[in-house]
Structures are given as structure tokens and as C-alpha cells.
Amino acid sequence: GPLLERRLMDVRLGELPAWLATRDISPQGLLGGVRKAWSNYQDKYINVRRGGPAGVSMLLAGYCLLSYVWNYEHISKISFLVSL
């Protein structure tokens, strides 16, 4: 199909610069891409009939990991003080 309608995973390496030139890089275009990615994530993992808790647990695990990374410096200082 036309290069504009292809997904990133369907584009060959030589076609990548031309494909990137067809993308909308404006703030509105980027926001639309984030909305589409979030919608695809919800459709694949959250809004499934027989999917179980996999999507919600992935989201929770990601939040825990991100929270740990944000607080790592604080946590490492506390563990250093406790070991003294």
C-alpha cells in the first residue's frame, strides 16, 4: 500500500526517511499519536472479553517500576543510613 498508510513495523529501512517525512510532527499530531497508542493499548489489554487481569497488572507494574526509579536516590540514602 501507499507509504502514508503503512505502520512503522511494515516500513523497510530504506523507506524510513520518506515515511518519517509523511508523519505529522506538530504538537497536535504527536498528541493524536499518543491518543491512538493509548487507545490501542486499552483495546488490546484492558477492553477484552476473556483477557483477565493481565493489562491492569502490566499497568500497575509499570507504575511501580516508574515510582521506584523516581524515588531511587531517596531509597538508597535511607538504606545506607540503616546499614550504618
Side-chain angles (χ1 to χ4, degrees):
L3 193 58
L4 180 63
E5 295 176 4
R6 290 194 211 163
R7 298 182 323 172
L8 177 61
M9 298 303 292
D10 298 333
V11 175
R12 294 186 179 175
L13 191 57
E15 300 171 331
L16 188 60
W19 182 83
L20 286 172
T22 63
R23 301 289 108 189
D24 185 10
I25 309 293
S26 69
Q28 235 178 357
L30 293 174
L31 185 61
V34 169
R35 284 183 184 157
K36 185 175 180 182
W38 178 253
S39 175
N40 288 341
Y41 170 80
Q42 282 189 322
D43 289 343
K44 187 172 183 179
Y45 295 109
I46 307 291
N47 299 331
V48 290
R49 292 189 180 161
R50 290 179 279 148
V56 175
S57 63
M58 275 181 38
L59 193 62
L60 183 62
Y63 173 75
C64 290
L65 182 67
L66 189 61
S67 177
Y68 177 78
V69 169
W70 282 338
N71 293 316
Y72 177 76
E73 188 175 319
H74 177 70
I75 292 170
S76 63
K77 286 179 184 176
I78 290 174
S79 64
F80 175 72
L81 292 174
V82 169
S83 66
L84 289 177

mmCIF file of all heavy atoms in Angstrom, residues 32-81:
data_model
loop_
_atom_site.group_PDB
_atom_site.id
_atom_site.type_symbol
_atom_site.label_atom_id
_atom_site.label_comp_id
_atom_site.label_asym_id
_atom_site.label_seq_id
_atom_site.Cartn_x
_atom_site.Cartn_y
_atom_site.Cartn_z
ATOM 1 N N GLY A 32 -2.187 13.306 18.928
ATOM 2 C CA GLY A 32 -3.047 12.318 18.287
ATOM 3 C C GLY A 32 -2.404 10.938 18.274
ATOM 4 O O GLY A 32 -3.078 9.927 18.463
ATOM 5 N N GLY A 33 -1.080 10.879 18.070
ATOM 6 C CA GLY A 33 -0.376 9.603 18.106
ATOM 7 C C GLY A 33 -0.396 8.971 19.483
ATOM 8 O O GLY A 33 -0.557 7.759 19.629
ATOM 9 N N VAL A 34 -0.237 9.799 20.512
ATOM 10 C CA VAL A 34 -0.287 9.289 21.887
ATOM 11 C C VAL A 34 -1.687 8.781 22.201
ATOM 12 O O VAL A 34 -1.857 7.726 22.816
ATOM 13 C CB VAL A 34 0.148 10.387 22.884
ATOM 14 C CG1 VAL A 34 -0.149 9.985 24.306
ATOM 15 C CG2 VAL A 34 1.622 10.704 22.715
ATOM 16 N N ARG A 35 -2.707 9.515 21.769
ATOM 17 C CA ARG A 35 -4.090 9.059 21.992
ATOM 18 C C ARG A 35 -4.354 7.729 21.300
ATOM 19 O O ARG A 35 -4.998 6.833 21.856
ATOM 20 C CB ARG A 35 -5.070 10.102 21.473
ATOM 21 C CG ARG A 35 -5.218 11.291 22.361
ATOM 22 C CD ARG A 35 -6.250 12.241 21.811
ATOM 23 N NE ARG A 35 -6.322 13.441 22.622
ATOM 24 C CZ ARG A 35 -6.770 14.592 22.193
ATOM 25 N NH1 ARG A 35 -7.204 14.717 20.950
ATOM 26 N NH2 ARG A 35 -6.805 15.639 22.995
ATOM 27 N N LYS A 36 -3.857 7.600 20.060
ATOM 28 C CA LYS A 36 -4.066 6.359 19.317
ATOM 29 C C LYS A 36 -3.340 5.197 19.986
ATOM 30 O O LYS A 36 -3.872 4.094 20.089
ATOM 31 C CB LYS A 36 -3.580 6.523 17.883
ATOM 32 C CG LYS A 36 -3.857 5.335 17.023
ATOM 33 C CD LYS A 36 -3.464 5.574 15.594
ATOM 34 C CE LYS A 36 -3.759 4.335 14.773
ATOM 35 N NZ LYS A 36 -3.353 4.494 13.388
ATOM 36 N N ALA A 37 -2.107 5.440 20.464
ATOM 37 C CA ALA A 37 -1.351 4.386 21.143
ATOM 38 C C ALA A 37 -2.061 3.960 22.424
ATOM 39 O O ALA A 37 -2.154 2.762 22.729
ATOM 40 C CB ALA A 37 0.056 4.871 21.450
ATOM 41 N N TRP A 38 -2.580 4.924 23.192
ATOM 42 C CA TRP A 38 -3.303 4.592 24.428
ATOM 43 C C TRP A 38 -4.575 3.811 24.119
ATOM 44 O O TRP A 38 -4.905 2.847 24.811
ATOM 45 C CB TRP A 38 -3.625 5.865 25.204
ATOM 46 C CG TRP A 38 -4.398 5.598 26.461
ATOM 47 C CD1 TRP A 38 -5.709 5.862 26.673
ATOM 48 C CD2 TRP A 38 -3.916 4.983 27.648
ATOM 49 N NE1 TRP A 38 -6.069 5.467 27.942
ATOM 50 C CE2 TRP A 38 -4.986 4.917 28.566
ATOM 51 C CE3 TRP A 38 -2.685 4.482 28.043
ATOM 52 C CZ2 TRP A 38 -4.853 4.376 29.833
ATOM 53 C CZ3 TRP A 38 -2.563 3.937 29.317
ATOM 54 C CH2 TRP A 38 -3.638 3.895 30.185
ATOM 55 N N SER A 39 -5.277 4.217 23.077
ATOM 56 C CA SER A 39 -6.492 3.513 22.683
ATOM 57 C C SER A 39 -6.172 2.079 22.248
ATOM 58 O O SER A 39 -6.889 1.142 22.615
ATOM 59 C CB SER A 39 -7.180 4.276 21.552
ATOM 60 O OG SER A 39 -8.279 3.568 21.075
ATOM 61 N N ASN A 40 -5.084 1.907 21.485
ATOM 62 C CA ASN A 40 -4.694 0.557 21.069
ATOM 63 C C ASN A 40 -4.304 -0.296 22.267
ATOM 64 O O ASN A 40 -4.624 -1.485 22.322
ATOM 65 C CB ASN A 40 -3.539 0.620 20.070
ATOM 66 C CG ASN A 40 -3.981 1.127 18.719
ATOM 67 O OD1 ASN A 40 -5.167 1.108 18.389
ATOM 68 N ND2 ASN A 40 -3.035 1.591 17.930
ATOM 69 N N TYR A 41 -3.610 0.298 23.230
ATOM 70 C CA TYR A 41 -3.233 -0.432 24.448
ATOM 71 C C TYR A 41 -4.481 -0.881 25.201
ATOM 72 O O TYR A 41 -4.580 -2.028 25.631
ATOM 73 C CB TYR A 41 -2.364 0.451 25.345
ATOM 74 C CG TYR A 41 -2.133 -0.133 26.710
ATOM 75 C CD1 TYR A 41 -1.182 -1.113 26.906
ATOM 76 C CD2 TYR A 41 -2.901 0.274 27.806
ATOM 77 C CE1 TYR A 41 -0.974 -1.675 28.160
ATOM 78 C CE2 TYR A 41 -2.699 -0.271 29.050
ATOM 79 C CZ TYR A 41 -1.741 -1.250 29.225
ATOM 80 O OH TYR A 41 -1.555 -1.803 30.461
ATOM 81 N N GLN A 42 -5.434 0.031 25.361
ATOM 82 C CA GLN A 42 -6.669 -0.324 26.075
ATOM 83 C C GLN A 42 -7.435 -1.415 25.342
ATOM 84 O O GLN A 42 -7.953 -2.335 25.970
ATOM 85 C CB GLN A 42 -7.553 0.903 26.234
ATOM 86 C CG GLN A 42 -7.117 1.812 27.332
ATOM 87 C CD GLN A 42 -8.146 2.903 27.581
ATOM 88 O OE1 GLN A 42 -8.758 3.421 26.663
ATOM 89 N NE2 GLN A 42 -8.311 3.257 28.839
ATOM 90 N N ASP A 43 -7.517 -1.310 24.010
ATOM 91 C CA ASP A 43 -8.247 -2.316 23.254
ATOM 92 C C ASP A 43 -7.571 -3.686 23.347
ATOM 93 O O ASP A 43 -8.239 -4.713 23.372
ATOM 94 C CB ASP A 43 -8.371 -1.907 21.792
ATOM 95 C CG ASP A 43 -9.331 -0.750 21.603
ATOM 96 O OD1 ASP A 43 -10.131 -0.476 22.515
ATOM 97 O OD2 ASP A 43 -9.264 -0.093 20.541
ATOM 98 N N LYS A 44 -6.247 -3.704 23.400
ATOM 99 C CA LYS A 44 -5.531 -4.968 23.407
ATOM 100 C C LYS A 44 -5.493 -5.613 24.790
ATOM 101 O O LYS A 44 -5.590 -6.831 24.904
ATOM 102 C CB LYS A 44 -4.106 -4.759 22.907
ATOM 103 C CG LYS A 44 -3.335 -6.037 22.712
ATOM 104 C CD LYS A 44 -2.015 -5.788 22.036
ATOM 105 C CE LYS A 44 -1.301 -7.103 21.789
ATOM 106 N NZ LYS A 44 -0.030 -6.913 21.120
ATOM 107 N N TYR A 45 -5.332 -4.813 25.852
ATOM 108 C CA TYR A 45 -5.116 -5.400 27.173
ATOM 109 C C TYR A 45 -6.228 -5.144 28.187
ATOM 110 O O TYR A 45 -6.395 -5.915 29.119
ATOM 111 C CB TYR A 45 -3.798 -4.882 27.762
ATOM 112 C CG TYR A 45 -2.590 -5.323 26.987
ATOM 113 C CD1 TYR A 45 -1.868 -4.424 26.226
ATOM 114 C CD2 TYR A 45 -2.180 -6.650 27.019
ATOM 115 C CE1 TYR A 45 -0.761 -4.839 25.506
ATOM 116 C CE2 TYR A 45 -1.079 -7.072 26.310
ATOM 117 C CZ TYR A 45 -0.369 -6.161 25.556
ATOM 118 O OH TYR A 45 0.721 -6.566 24.848
ATOM 119 N N ILE A 46 -6.964 -4.058 28.070
ATOM 120 C CA ILE A 46 -7.948 -3.707 29.086
ATOM 121 C C ILE A 46 -9.356 -4.106 28.655
ATOM 122 O O ILE A 46 -10.078 -4.762 29.400
ATOM 123 C CB ILE A 46 -7.900 -2.186 29.391
ATOM 124 C CG1 ILE A 46 -6.494 -1.733 29.731
ATOM 125 C CG2 ILE A 46 -8.889 -1.835 30.487
ATOM 126 C CD1 ILE A 46 -5.947 -2.226 31.031
ATOM 127 N N ASN A 47 -9.758 -3.708 27.455
ATOM 128 C CA ASN A 47 -11.131 -3.916 26.998
ATOM 129 C C ASN A 47 -11.284 -5.237 26.244
ATOM 130 O O ASN A 47 -11.805 -5.278 25.143
ATOM 131 C CB ASN A 47 -11.557 -2.767 26.083
ATOM 132 C CG ASN A 47 -11.516 -1.442 26.778
ATOM 133 O OD1 ASN A 47 -11.698 -1.359 27.978
ATOM 134 N ND2 ASN A 47 -11.264 -0.387 26.035
ATOM 135 N N VAL A 48 -10.867 -6.327 26.832
ATOM 136 C CA VAL A 48 -11.016 -7.634 26.197
ATOM 137 C C VAL A 48 -12.039 -8.443 26.982
ATOM 138 O O VAL A 48 -12.218 -8.238 28.177
ATOM 139 C CB VAL A 48 -9.662 -8.385 26.136
ATOM 140 C CG1 VAL A 48 -8.736 -7.734 25.161
ATOM 141 C CG2 VAL A 48 -9.025 -8.473 27.486
ATOM 142 N N ARG A 49 -12.675 -9.373 26.317
ATOM 143 C CA ARG A 49 -13.735 -10.135 26.984
ATOM 144 C C ARG A 49 -13.165 -11.218 27.883
ATOM 145 O O ARG A 49 -13.653 -11.453 28.970
ATOM 146 C CB ARG A 49 -14.658 -10.747 25.943
ATOM 147 C CG ARG A 49 -15.435 -9.691 25.217
ATOM 148 C CD ARG A 49 -16.500 -10.286 24.359
ATOM 149 N NE ARG A 49 -17.208 -9.193 23.683
ATOM 150 C CZ ARG A 49 -17.926 -9.330 22.625
ATOM 151 N NH1 ARG A 49 -18.065 -10.525 22.084
ATOM 152 N NH2 ARG A 49 -18.529 -8.316 22.080
ATOM 153 N N ARG A 50 -12.138 -11.923 27.420
ATOM 154 C CA ARG A 50 -11.588 -13.018 28.204
ATOM 155 C C ARG A 50 -10.126 -12.767 28.549
ATOM 156 O O ARG A 50 -9.357 -13.695 28.696
ATOM 157 C CB ARG A 50 -11.696 -14.320 27.419
ATOM 158 C CG ARG A 50 -13.126 -14.788 27.290
ATOM 159 C CD ARG A 50 -13.187 -16.056 26.491
ATOM 160 N NE ARG A 50 -13.123 -15.700 25.066
ATOM 161 C CZ ARG A 50 -12.578 -16.433 24.127
ATOM 162 N NH1 ARG A 50 -12.036 -17.579 24.417
ATOM 163 N NH2 ARG A 50 -12.575 -16.039 22.887
ATOM 164 N N GLY A 51 -9.715 -11.535 28.669
ATOM 165 C CA GLY A 51 -8.310 -11.230 28.864
ATOM 166 C C GLY A 51 -7.815 -11.379 30.275
ATOM 167 O O GLY A 51 -6.634 -11.566 30.500
ATOM 168 N N GLY A 52 -8.672 -11.293 31.233
ATOM 169 C CA GLY A 52 -8.237 -11.384 32.617
ATOM 170 C C GLY A 52 -7.554 -10.109 33.075
ATOM 171 O O GLY A 52 -7.650 -9.062 32.437
ATOM 172 N N PRO A 53 -6.832 -10.202 34.148
ATOM 173 C CA PRO A 53 -6.224 -9.000 34.739
ATOM 174 C C PRO A 53 -4.852 -8.651 34.160
ATOM 175 O O PRO A 53 -4.131 -7.857 34.746
ATOM 176 C CB PRO A 53 -6.111 -9.395 36.210
ATOM 177 C CG PRO A 53 -5.901 -10.869 36.166
ATOM 178 C CD PRO A 53 -6.745 -11.362 35.015
ATOM 179 N N ALA A 54 -4.459 -9.211 33.030
ATOM 180 C CA ALA A 54 -3.105 -9.002 32.502
ATOM 181 C C ALA A 54 -2.822 -7.534 32.196
ATOM 182 O O ALA A 54 -1.762 -7.014 32.555
ATOM 183 C CB ALA A 54 -2.906 -9.848 31.250
ATOM 184 N N GLY A 55 -3.732 -6.840 31.532
ATOM 185 C CA GLY A 55 -3.485 -5.448 31.173
ATOM 186 C C GLY A 55 -3.394 -4.534 32.371
ATOM 187 O O GLY A 55 -2.512 -3.672 32.439
ATOM 188 N N VAL A 56 -4.270 -4.726 33.320
ATOM 189 C CA VAL A 56 -4.259 -3.889 34.513
ATOM 190 C C VAL A 56 -2.997 -4.170 35.326
ATOM 191 O O VAL A 56 -2.366 -3.248 35.847
ATOM 192 C CB VAL A 56 -5.530 -4.137 35.358
ATOM 193 C CG1 VAL A 56 -5.478 -3.358 36.656
ATOM 194 C CG2 VAL A 56 -6.768 -3.767 34.558
ATOM 195 N N SER A 57 -2.596 -5.431 35.427
ATOM 196 C CA SER A 57 -1.388 -5.751 36.187
ATOM 197 C C SER A 57 -0.151 -5.204 35.493
ATOM 198 O O SER A 57 0.799 -4.782 36.167
ATOM 199 C CB SER A 57 -1.271 -7.253 36.408
ATOM 200 O OG SER A 57 -1.131 -7.925 35.176
ATOM 201 N N MET A 58 -0.116 -5.192 34.159
ATOM 202 C CA MET A 58 1.005 -4.584 33.445
ATOM 203 C C MET A 58 1.072 -3.095 33.736
ATOM 204 O O MET A 58 2.153 -2.545 33.953
ATOM 205 C CB MET A 58 0.869 -4.802 31.930
ATOM 206 C CG MET A 58 1.421 -6.101 31.466
ATOM 207 S SD MET A 58 1.297 -6.374 29.699
ATOM 208 C CE MET A 58 1.623 -4.819 28.983
ATOM 209 N N LEU A 59 -0.051 -2.433 33.736
ATOM 210 C CA LEU A 59 -0.091 -1.004 34.032
ATOM 211 C C LEU A 59 0.364 -0.739 35.465
ATOM 212 O O LEU A 59 1.154 0.175 35.711
ATOM 213 C CB LEU A 59 -1.515 -0.477 33.812
ATOM 214 C CG LEU A 59 -1.697 1.030 33.772
ATOM 215 C CD1 LEU A 59 -0.922 1.619 32.606
ATOM 216 C CD2 LEU A 59 -3.163 1.362 33.645
ATOM 217 N N LEU A 60 -0.076 -1.548 36.406
ATOM 218 C CA LEU A 60 0.324 -1.400 37.796
ATOM 219 C C LEU A 60 1.817 -1.674 37.980
ATOM 220 O O LEU A 60 2.506 -0.943 38.695
ATOM 221 C CB LEU A 60 -0.499 -2.341 38.676
ATOM 222 C CG LEU A 60 -0.251 -2.247 40.176
ATOM 223 C CD1 LEU A 60 -0.608 -0.849 40.677
ATOM 224 C CD2 LEU A 60 -1.069 -3.287 40.902
ATOM 225 N N ALA A 61 2.337 -2.693 37.312
ATOM 226 C CA ALA A 61 3.771 -3.000 37.405
ATOM 227 C C ALA A 61 4.596 -1.858 36.812
ATOM 228 O O ALA A 61 5.639 -1.489 37.355
ATOM 229 C CB ALA A 61 4.071 -4.305 36.678
ATOM 230 N N GLY A 62 4.146 -1.285 35.711
ATOM 231 C CA GLY A 62 4.841 -0.144 35.125
ATOM 232 C C GLY A 62 4.846 1.053 36.053
ATOM 233 O O GLY A 62 5.862 1.745 36.191
ATOM 234 N N TYR A 63 3.739 1.284 36.716
ATOM 235 C CA TYR A 63 3.669 2.391 37.679
ATOM 236 C C TYR A 63 4.617 2.154 38.850
ATOM 237 O O TYR A 63 5.311 3.068 39.286
ATOM 238 C CB TYR A 63 2.231 2.560 38.182
ATOM 239 C CG TYR A 63 2.121 3.576 39.290
ATOM 240 C CD1 TYR A 63 2.206 4.935 39.006
ATOM 241 C CD2 TYR A 63 1.973 3.188 40.611
ATOM 242 C CE1 TYR A 63 2.130 5.872 40.024
ATOM 243 C CE2 TYR A 63 1.895 4.116 41.625
ATOM 244 C CZ TYR A 63 1.971 5.458 41.323
ATOM 245 O OH TYR A 63 1.910 6.382 42.327
ATOM 246 N N CYS A 64 4.666 0.929 39.356
ATOM 247 C CA CYS A 64 5.569 0.610 40.473
ATOM 248 C C CYS A 64 7.023 0.797 40.053
ATOM 249 O O CYS A 64 7.826 1.351 40.807
ATOM 250 C CB CYS A 64 5.339 -0.820 40.945
ATOM 251 S SG CYS A 64 3.762 -1.053 41.775
ATOM 252 N N LEU A 65 7.370 0.339 38.868
ATOM 253 C CA LEU A 65 8.740 0.494 38.381
ATOM 254 C C LEU A 65 9.102 1.965 38.215
ATOM 255 O O LEU A 65 10.176 2.400 38.637
ATOM 256 C CB LEU A 65 8.908 -0.251 37.057
ATOM 257 C CG LEU A 65 10.297 -0.218 36.446
ATOM 258 C CD1 LEU A 65 11.267 -0.992 37.329
ATOM 259 C CD2 LEU A 65 10.258 -0.808 35.060
ATOM 260 N N LEU A 66 8.206 2.729 37.624
ATOM 261 C CA LEU A 66 8.448 4.157 37.430
ATOM 262 C C LEU A 66 8.570 4.873 38.770
ATOM 263 O O LEU A 66 9.452 5.710 38.960
ATOM 264 C CB LEU A 66 7.314 4.769 36.603
ATOM 265 C CG LEU A 66 7.495 6.196 36.134
ATOM 266 C CD1 LEU A 66 8.720 6.313 35.238
ATOM 267 C CD2 LEU A 66 6.264 6.661 35.399
ATOM 268 N N SER A 67 7.729 4.524 39.733
ATOM 269 C CA SER A 67 7.793 5.121 41.057
ATOM 270 C C SER A 67 9.109 4.783 41.746
ATOM 271 O O SER A 67 9.725 5.631 42.389
ATOM 272 C CB SER A 67 6.620 4.628 41.901
ATOM 273 O OG SER A 67 6.701 5.136 43.193
ATOM 274 N N TYR A 68 9.561 3.546 41.599
ATOM 275 C CA TYR A 68 10.838 3.150 42.190
ATOM 276 C C TYR A 68 11.993 3.939 41.574
ATOM 277 O O TYR A 68 12.884 4.404 42.283
ATOM 278 C CB TYR A 68 11.071 1.653 42.001
ATOM 279 C CG TYR A 68 12.403 1.194 42.534
ATOM 280 C CD1 TYR A 68 12.592 1.010 43.892
ATOM 281 C CD2 TYR A 68 13.472 0.958 41.681
ATOM 282 C CE1 TYR A 68 13.809 0.598 44.389
ATOM 283 C CE2 TYR A 68 14.695 0.548 42.174
ATOM 284 C CZ TYR A 68 14.862 0.370 43.529
ATOM 285 O OH TYR A 68 16.062 -0.016 44.012
ATOM 286 N N VAL A 69 11.976 4.106 40.250
ATOM 287 C CA VAL A 69 13.037 4.856 39.578
ATOM 288 C C VAL A 69 13.049 6.303 40.051
ATOM 289 O O VAL A 69 14.106 6.883 40.294
ATOM 290 C CB VAL A 69 12.879 4.767 38.049
ATOM 291 C CG1 VAL A 69 13.785 5.746 37.336
ATOM 292 C CG2 VAL A 69 13.163 3.347 37.574
ATOM 293 N N TRP A 70 11.870 6.906 40.185
ATOM 294 C CA TRP A 70 11.787 8.295 40.643
ATOM 295 C C TRP A 70 12.325 8.453 42.071
ATOM 296 O O TRP A 70 12.916 9.461 42.411
ATOM 297 C CB TRP A 70 10.360 8.800 40.590
ATOM 298 C CG TRP A 70 9.893 9.183 39.225
ATOM 299 C CD1 TRP A 70 10.665 9.520 38.162
ATOM 300 C CD2 TRP A 70 8.545 9.273 38.793
ATOM 301 N NE1 TRP A 70 9.887 9.799 37.076
ATOM 302 C CE2 TRP A 70 8.576 9.664 37.431
ATOM 303 C CE3 TRP A 70 7.317 9.065 39.399
ATOM 304 C CZ2 TRP A 70 7.427 9.853 36.693
ATOM 305 C CZ3 TRP A 70 6.173 9.253 38.649
ATOM 306 C CH2 TRP A 70 6.240 9.638 37.316
ATOM 307 N N ASN A 71 12.104 7.456 42.919
ATOM 308 C CA ASN A 71 12.489 7.546 44.328
ATOM 309 C C ASN A 71 13.770 6.794 44.647
ATOM 310 O O ASN A 71 14.104 6.631 45.816
ATOM 311 C CB ASN A 71 11.357 7.002 45.208
ATOM 312 C CG ASN A 71 10.137 7.881 45.143
ATOM 313 O OD1 ASN A 71 10.256 9.096 45.198
ATOM 314 N ND2 ASN A 71 8.989 7.269 45.000
ATOM 315 N N TYR A 72 14.523 6.331 43.666
ATOM 316 C CA TYR A 72 15.696 5.500 43.912
ATOM 317 C C TYR A 72 16.737 6.221 44.769
ATOM 318 O O TYR A 72 17.287 5.641 45.690
ATOM 319 C CB TYR A 72 16.333 5.049 42.601
ATOM 320 C CG TYR A 72 17.586 4.244 42.826
ATOM 321 C CD1 TYR A 72 17.501 2.931 43.253
ATOM 322 C CD2 TYR A 72 18.836 4.811 42.646
ATOM 323 C CE1 TYR A 72 18.639 2.182 43.490
ATOM 324 C CE2 TYR A 72 19.983 4.074 42.883
ATOM 325 C CZ TYR A 72 19.873 2.767 43.300
ATOM 326 O OH TYR A 72 20.993 2.037 43.539
ATOM 327 N N GLU A 73 16.991 7.466 44.464
ATOM 328 C CA GLU A 73 18.004 8.204 45.208
ATOM 329 C C GLU A 73 17.611 8.315 46.683
ATOM 330 O O GLU A 73 18.428 8.113 47.577
ATOM 331 C CB GLU A 73 18.193 9.587 44.604
ATOM 332 C CG GLU A 73 19.362 10.348 45.187
ATOM 333 C CD GLU A 73 19.567 11.671 44.469
ATOM 334 O OE1 GLU A 73 19.456 11.715 43.240
ATOM 335 O OE2 GLU A 73 19.823 12.650 45.180
ATOM 336 N N HIS A 74 16.353 8.598 46.937
ATOM 337 C CA HIS A 74 15.860 8.709 48.312
ATOM 338 C C HIS A 74 15.938 7.352 49.020
ATOM 339 O O HIS A 74 16.363 7.262 50.168
ATOM 340 C CB HIS A 74 14.425 9.226 48.297
ATOM 341 C CG HIS A 74 13.797 9.320 49.646
ATOM 342 N ND1 HIS A 74 14.181 10.256 50.578
ATOM 343 C CD2 HIS A 74 12.821 8.584 50.233
ATOM 344 C CE1 HIS A 74 13.468 10.097 51.674
ATOM 345 N NE2 HIS A 74 12.635 9.088 51.482
ATOM 346 N N ILE A 75 15.551 6.295 48.330
ATOM 347 C CA ILE A 75 15.566 4.958 48.921
ATOM 348 C C ILE A 75 16.997 4.521 49.211
ATOM 349 O O ILE A 75 17.281 3.951 50.263
ATOM 350 C CB ILE A 75 14.861 3.944 47.985
ATOM 351 C CG1 ILE A 75 13.370 4.251 47.919
ATOM 352 C CG2 ILE A 75 15.096 2.520 48.449
ATOM 353 C CD1 ILE A 75 12.640 3.484 46.853
ATOM 354 N N SER A 76 17.937 4.795 48.306
ATOM 355 C CA SER A 76 19.314 4.367 48.520
ATOM 356 C C SER A 76 19.943 5.120 49.694
ATOM 357 O O SER A 76 20.771 4.561 50.414
ATOM 358 C CB SER A 76 20.140 4.566 47.254
ATOM 359 O OG SER A 76 20.215 5.932 46.913
ATOM 360 N N LYS A 77 19.578 6.388 49.916
ATOM 361 C CA LYS A 77 20.101 7.123 51.065
ATOM 362 C C LYS A 77 19.588 6.525 52.375
ATOM 363 O O LYS A 77 20.329 6.390 53.333
ATOM 364 C CB LYS A 77 19.701 8.602 50.983
ATOM 365 C CG LYS A 77 20.474 9.367 49.956
ATOM 366 C CD LYS A 77 20.011 10.824 49.921
ATOM 367 C CE LYS A 77 20.710 11.574 48.813
ATOM 368 N NZ LYS A 77 20.228 12.945 48.699
ATOM 369 N N ILE A 78 18.320 6.151 52.403
ATOM 370 C CA ILE A 78 17.739 5.557 53.606
ATOM 371 C C ILE A 78 18.390 4.218 53.889
ATOM 372 O O ILE A 78 18.757 3.914 55.023
ATOM 373 C CB ILE A 78 16.209 5.412 53.465
ATOM 374 C CG1 ILE A 78 15.560 6.789 53.494
ATOM 375 C CG2 ILE A 78 15.652 4.542 54.572
ATOM 376 C CD1 ILE A 78 14.083 6.757 53.211
ATOM 377 N N SER A 79 18.570 3.375 52.884
ATOM 378 C CA SER A 79 19.175 2.051 53.109
ATOM 379 C C SER A 79 20.628 2.194 53.544
ATOM 380 O O SER A 79 21.124 1.375 54.317
ATOM 381 C CB SER A 79 19.054 1.191 51.857
ATOM 382 O OG SER A 79 19.796 1.755 50.805
ATOM 383 N N PHE A 80 21.324 3.225 53.087
ATOM 384 C CA PHE A 80 22.701 3.451 53.516
ATOM 385 C C PHE A 80 22.739 3.840 54.995
ATOM 386 O O PHE A 80 23.569 3.354 55.757
ATOM 387 C CB PHE A 80 23.356 4.547 52.663
ATOM 388 C CG PHE A 80 24.745 4.921 53.121
ATOM 389 C CD1 PHE A 80 25.806 4.060 52.922
ATOM 390 C CD2 PHE A 80 24.975 6.114 53.769
ATOM 391 C CE1 PHE A 80 27.072 4.374 53.328
ATOM 392 C CE2 PHE A 80 26.242 6.448 54.183
ATOM 393 C CZ PHE A 80 27.296 5.575 53.971
ATOM 394 N N LEU A 81 21.807 4.687 55.409
ATOM 395 C CA LEU A 81 21.759 5.121 56.801
ATOM 396 C C LEU A 81 21.380 3.965 57.723
ATOM 397 O O LEU A 81 21.859 3.862 58.849
ATOM 398 C CB LEU A 81 20.787 6.279 56.969
ATOM 399 C CG LEU A 81 21.204 7.596 56.308
ATOM 400 C CD1 LEU A 81 20.078 8.621 56.434
ATOM 401 C CD2 LEU A 81 22.478 8.128 56.914
#
